[in-house]
C-alpha cells in the first residue's frame, strides 16, 4: 500500500507514504513509495486516500438487527420491556442472519474487529452463540463475542420477564464451555470470548461475582452494561443501596480486564475509580441519544486517564448505525455539551481504534499502524469530488455526515471490502439475510402470542 496519507494513531502522520505487509503483519511503514520487493507483490495504490487502523467496535447486540424499529419513542426500560418478549422467540437461524447483516454493515464502515454482547438464550432454540461465530468467520472479521446472561427476572426484582432468564449454574457451565470451545489467545487470533452478565438490573450479585471468578481463572475479559440511565441509578439504590459503579466495585468488577458499556451517569468519584483501576468504557453515542439516556462524560474521562472506545450498540436502539459515523457522533455530543475543544477529530479516531483495542485487551496487536502489528487497515478515499474540498483527510473522515468511500478494508492483510463492496460474502445476500431474520423473528414472536401493536409503542 503506497501513496496514501497515513494516520497511524500512534506517532506522527505521514502525508504520502507506504505500508508494507508480509503475511498478516505490518513489517514497515514510512514516507514515499514502497520499496521494490522480490517475487510477486500486490501493490495497492493509495493515491487520494487516507489509511487508518481498522476500526474496533466494543459494544453490540448483533441479534437486534432483526428487531429494529420497535419502541421508537421509548426510554431504555420501556424499550427493554417492549423487546424482551420478541427476543424470547429468536432461534439460531434468526441470530445467524442478523449477525451476517450486522457484521457486514460494520465491515462496510471500516470495522475490522467487533465485540458482541449476546445475553438472551431462549431454551430449545439452537446454538445461538455458535450461529454468530459462524457468521463472523464467513465474513472474515475478527470477533470478540461476550457470552452474556440474565438470571434475575421480575419474580426476583429484576427487569426482564422470567421467560428470558437462565439458571445460574447452567449459565456458568455454558460460559465455561464457550471459552473452552472458542477462545483463542494467540497474537493473530480471529476469535476471543469474554464473560458478560447483562446488567445490574438483570443479573444477580452471585452471577456477577462467580462470572468474574470464572473469567479471571480462564484469563478472559469481563463486560456488562453500567450507568446507562438514571432509572438504573434509582433501581440500584432501591435494590442494593448503592449507585451502579459502587455496586460494581463491591462485587469486584473494577479492573484492567473490565470494560463497561455506556457509563453515561458517572460521578467524579466513579471516574477516578475507573482511572485508578484501569477500567474501560464503551461509548455508544447514537444509542444513548436514541433512548434519551444522556451524554457520557467522555472528554472528562479521557482527561482523567480512563480508556474509552466506541460501540454502535444493538441496532434495535441504534438503527442502521455505522461505526465510522459514531466517531462523528462522539465528537458532536462532547462539543454540544462541553464546547468545541472538548474532543478533536484525531481523538475521535483514537477512540475508534486504540481505545477499542485497549478495551478488548488487544492494544499490543492492533489499533494502530505500527511495524509488528496485525495488518488490519482501512483505506478511505478522500479525493471524492466533494470530500476533496477538505484538505485535512482526518477531518474529512470524522466530520463528514456521509462516510468517504472505503477503497479497501484489510483484516490480517486479507481484503474484506474493496471499493465499498464486501468481497468475502455476497453483499446483497448478506443484506437479505438480515431482512429475512427480521421477518422470521416477527413470525416466531407472533406465533408465541406477541402483539406488535401493544408492544411497539409502550
Amino acid at each position: 500500500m503506497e501513496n496514501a496519507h497515513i494516520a497511524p494513531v500512534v506517532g506522527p502522520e505521514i502525508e504520502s507514504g507506504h505500508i508494507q505487509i508480509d503475511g498478516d503483519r505490518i513489517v514497515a511503514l514510512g514516507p514515499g513509495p514502497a520499496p521494490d520487493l522480490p517475487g510477486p507483490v500486490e501493490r495497492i495504490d493509495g493515491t487520494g486516500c487516507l489509511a487508518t487502523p481498522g476500526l474496533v467496535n466494543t459494544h453490540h447486540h448483533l441479534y437486534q438487527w432483526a428487531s429494529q424499529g420497535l419502541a421508537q419513542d421509548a426510554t431504555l426500560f420501556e424499550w427493554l420491556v417492549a423487546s424482551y418478549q420478541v427476543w424470547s422467540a429468536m432461534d439460531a437461524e434468526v441470530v445467524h442472519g442478523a449477525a451476517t447483516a450486522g457484521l457486514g454493515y460494520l465491515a462496510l464502515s471500516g470495522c475490522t474487529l467487533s465485540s458482541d454482547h449476546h445475553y438472551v438464550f431462549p431454551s430449545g432454540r439452537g446454538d445461538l452463540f455458535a450461529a454468530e461465530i459462524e457468521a463472523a468467520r464467513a465474513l472474515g472479521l475478527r470477533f470478540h463475542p461476550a457470552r452474556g446472561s440474565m438470571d434475575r427476572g421480575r419474580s426476583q426484582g429484576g427487569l426482564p420477564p422470567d421467560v428470558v432468564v437462565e439458571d445460574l449454574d447452567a449459565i456458568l457451565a455454558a460460559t465455561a464451555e464457550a471459552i473452552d470451545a472458542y477462545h483463542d489467545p494467540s497474537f493473530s487470533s480471529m476469535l476471543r470470548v469474554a464473560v458478560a452478565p447483562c446488567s445490574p438490573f438483570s443479573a444477580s450479585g452471585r452471577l456477577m461475582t462467580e462470572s468474574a471468578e470464572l473469567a479471571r481463572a480462564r484469563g478472559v475479559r469481563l463486560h456488562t452494561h453500567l450507568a446507562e440511565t438514571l432509572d438504573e441509578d434509582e433501581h440500584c439504590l432501591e435494590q442494593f443501596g448503592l449507585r451502579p459503579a459502587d455496586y460494581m466495585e463491591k462485587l469486584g468488577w473494577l479492573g484492567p480486564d473490565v470494560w463497561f458499556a455506556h457509563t453515561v451517569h458517572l460521578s467524579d468519584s466513579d471516574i477516578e475509580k475507573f482511572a485508578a483501576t484501569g477500567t474501560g468504557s464503551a461509548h455508544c453515542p447514537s444509542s444513548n441519544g436514541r433512548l434519551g439516556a444522556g451524554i457520557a462524560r467522555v472528554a472528562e474521562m479521557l482527561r482523567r486517564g480512563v480508556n474509552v472506545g466506541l460501540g454502535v450498540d444493538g441496532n434495535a436502539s441504534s438503527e442502521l448505525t455505522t461505526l465510522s459515523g459514531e466517531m462523528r457522533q462522539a465528537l458532536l455530543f462532547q462539543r454540544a455539551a462541553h464546547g468545541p475543544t472538548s474532543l478533536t477529530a484525531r481523538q475521535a479516531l483514537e477512540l475508534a481504534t486504540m481505545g477499542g483495542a485497549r478495551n478488548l485487551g488487544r492494544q499490543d496487536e492492533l489499533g494502530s499502524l505500527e511495524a509488528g502489528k496485525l495488518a488490519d487497515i482501512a483505506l478511505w478515499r478522500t479525493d471524492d469530488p466533494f470530500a476533496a474540498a477538505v484538505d485535512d483527510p482526518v477531518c474529512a473522515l470524522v466530520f463528514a455526515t456521509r462516510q468517504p468511500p472505503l477503497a479497501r478494508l484489510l483484516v490480517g492483510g486479507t481484503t474484506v471490502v474493496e471499493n465499498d463492496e464486501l468481497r468475502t460474502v455476497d453483499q446483497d445476500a448478506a443484506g437479505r439475510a438480515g431482512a429475512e431474520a427480521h421477518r422470521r423473528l416477527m413470525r416466531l414472536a407472533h406465533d408465541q402470542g406477541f402483539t406488535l401493536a401493544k408492544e411497539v409503542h409502550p
Side-chain angles (χ1 to χ4, degrees):
M1 183 179 296
E2 56 191 346
N3 306 319
H5 184 110
I6 301 171
V9 175
V10 173
E13 294 179 18
I14 301 170
E15 186 173 346
S16 179
H18 67 274
I19 303 171
Q20 184 180 334
I21 299 166
D22 186 10
D24 67 352
R25 311 284 175 93
I26 298 169
V27 295
L29 71 163
D36 292 330
L37 298 169
V41 174
E42 180 184 11
R43 302 180 81 93
I44 300 172
D45 185 7
T47 301
C49 294
L50 166 68
T52 71
L55 308 186
V56 180
N57 179 42
T58 64
H59 188 62
H60 209 329
H61 308 292
L62 285 164
Y63 71 87
Q64 291 182 15
W65 188 275
S67 61
Q68 296 183 78
L70 305 184
Q72 296 174 22
D73 306 312
T75 65
L76 172 66
F77 279 17
E78 292 169 341
W79 171 84
L80 283 169
V81 169
S83 302
Y84 281 135
Q85 296 290 349
V86 181
W87 298 338
S88 72
M90 83 173 86
D91 62 8
E93 187 175 335
V94 168
V95 172
H96 186 272
T100 296
L103 289 168
Y105 201 70
L106 281 172
L108 291 167
S109 70
C111 177
T112 53
L113 165 61
S114 181
S115 63
D116 187 62
H117 187 187
H118 192 104
Y119 58 86
V120 181
F121 290 90
S123 177
R125 311 299 284 180
D127 194 336
L128 278 58
F129 203 66
E132 63 173 1
I133 288 171
E134 290 167 7
R137 282 176 171 160
L139 279 151
L141 291 189
R142 295 191 202 280
F143 197 38
H144 202 136
R147 206 296 181 180
S149 54
M150 300 188 291
D151 73 331
R152 188 166 172 260
R154 287 178 190 162
S155 64
Q156 297 180 17
L159 187 69
D162 290 348
V163 68
V164 296
V165 302
E166 300 176 272
D167 172 74
L168 186 148
D169 291 333
I171 289 169
L172 295 173
T175 304
E177 289 170 6
I179 296 167
D180 291 342
Y182 299 116
H183 182 70
D184 174 9
S186 70
F187 189 96
S188 299
S189 175
M190 296 293 290
L191 180 61
R192 292 187 183 175
V193 174
V195 177
C198 182
S199 67
F201 49 82
S202 59
S204 67
R206 183 183 162 202
L207 175 58
M208 297 298 293
T209 55
E210 294 194 22
S211 292
E213 291 168 2
L214 171 63
R216 286 166 178 151
R218 300 298 183 92
V220 301
R221 301 183 76 76
L222 286 163
H223 182 54
T224 193
H225 299 91
L226 192 75
E228 186 174 357
T229 67
L230 291 174
D231 287 342
E232 182 182 334
D233 260 27
E234 294 170 4
H235 178 91
C236 288
L237 284 168
E238 178 184 333
Q239 295 283 327
F240 317 122
L242 295 167
R243 294 185 63 254
D246 294 328
Y247 181 53
M248 290 295 103
E249 182 181 32
K250 177 183 176 182
L251 296 176
W253 263 72
L254 298 184
D257 57 347
V258 179
W259 87 102
F260 292 118
H262 304 301
T263 64
V264 174
H265 299 283
L266 295 184
S267 67
D268 287 349
S269 64
D270 294 339
I271 293 174
E272 290 296 340
K273 288 175 184 177
F274 275 41
T277 57
T279 303
S281 171
H283 178 43
C284 306
S286 290
S287 176
N288 296 157
R290 196 266 205 202
L291 294 170
I295 300 175
R297 299 171 64 188
V298 170
E300 183 66 12
M301 285 191 275
L302 293 175
R303 189 182 71 79
R304 296 196 192 187
V306 177
N307 184 69
V308 181
L310 291 183
V312 297
D313 203 4
N315 293 109
S317 67
S318 186
E319 283 81 354
L320 299 172
T321 294
T322 62
L323 186 53
S324 59
E326 289 298 75
M327 292 189 287
R328 181 176 189 269
Q329 292 287 78
L331 180 142
L332 295 182
F333 275 35
Q334 293 307 299
R335 292 186 175 201
H338 307 297
T341 62
S342 56
L343 197 70
T344 69
R346 283 161 177 80
Q347 284 177 304
L349 176 60
E350 183 173 357
L351 295 181
T353 53
M354 275 301 287
R358 293 188 192 103
N359 272 347
L360 301 184
R362 303 205 66 172
Q363 65 272 18
D364 294 334
E365 302 144 24
L366 48 83
S368 61
L369 301 180
E370 300 178 76
K373 284 198 167 184
L374 295 166
D376 292 5
I377 304 170
L379 188 66
W380 312 90
R381 184 157 293 288
T382 52
D383 64 351
D384 166 274
F386 293 100
V390 182
D391 288 334
D392 178 358
V394 176
C395 173
L397 171 63
V398 175
F399 278 73
T401 303
R402 176 174 171 266
Q403 173 186 298
L406 187 58
R408 195 75 75 105
L409 186 73
L410 303 179
V411 179
T414 298
T415 297
V416 173
V417 175
E418 185 173 5
N419 296 326
D420 279 334
E421 287 284 337
L422 292 170
R423 292 292 182 243
T424 49
V425 299
D426 181 276
Q427 182 162 309
D428 290 342
R432 288 194 298 271
E436 177 53 34
H438 168 73
R439 289 190 290 269
R440 179 176 176 81
L441 179 60
M442 294 301 104
R443 288 196 302 270
L444 292 171
H446 181 269
D447 290 346
Q448 289 190 6
F450 171 72
T451 305
L452 262 180
K454 177 181 177 182
E455 299 290 356
V456 170
H457 302 291

